[in-house]
Amino acid sequence: QVQLVESGGGLVQAGESLKLSCAASDSIFSLHAMGWFRQAPGKQREWVATITTGISTNYADSVKGRFTISRDGAKNLVYLHMNSLKPEDTAVYYCAARRSYSSSWFPNMNDYDYWGQGTQVTVSS
């Protein structure tokens, strides 16, 4: 039902920054949490960050201090600000949304109800 579309991916050099956007068809305030996942070549999809309607945020240890998740409710947008990018950040980045409330960190794919198609981020060394 909820459509999510990611954008902003591209090719960058190590150390550079990139900002991803996720546009939702519904108000993000109707969704308990929005998250970002990524899947690198040859690896399984992993959780990156989550933001709730209460603007509580959580990050994977691998990106903490470098990535920032934020939202703009008026525009139904969720962002992932990626700084100090590393080659190991290369992956397809997916936006996800969870509809219902739960007191959890939502680090698992099964915690989410809707998914975007992904946007490629490539970091050159």
Side-chain angles (χ1 to χ4, degrees), residues 1-5 22-26 31 34 76 114-117:
Q1 297 179 27
V2 176
Q3 303 297 314
L4 303 175
V5 180
C22 174
S25 61
D26 291 1
L31 302 167
M34 301 293 296
N76 293 342
Y114 311 104
W115 292 86
Q117 294 302 116

Side-chain angles (χ1 to χ4, degrees), residues 27-39:
S27 170
I28 59 175
F29 291 115
S30 68
L31 302 167
H32 177 62
M34 301 293 296
W36 285 96
F37 286 74
R38 67 185 183 185
Q39 187 164 20

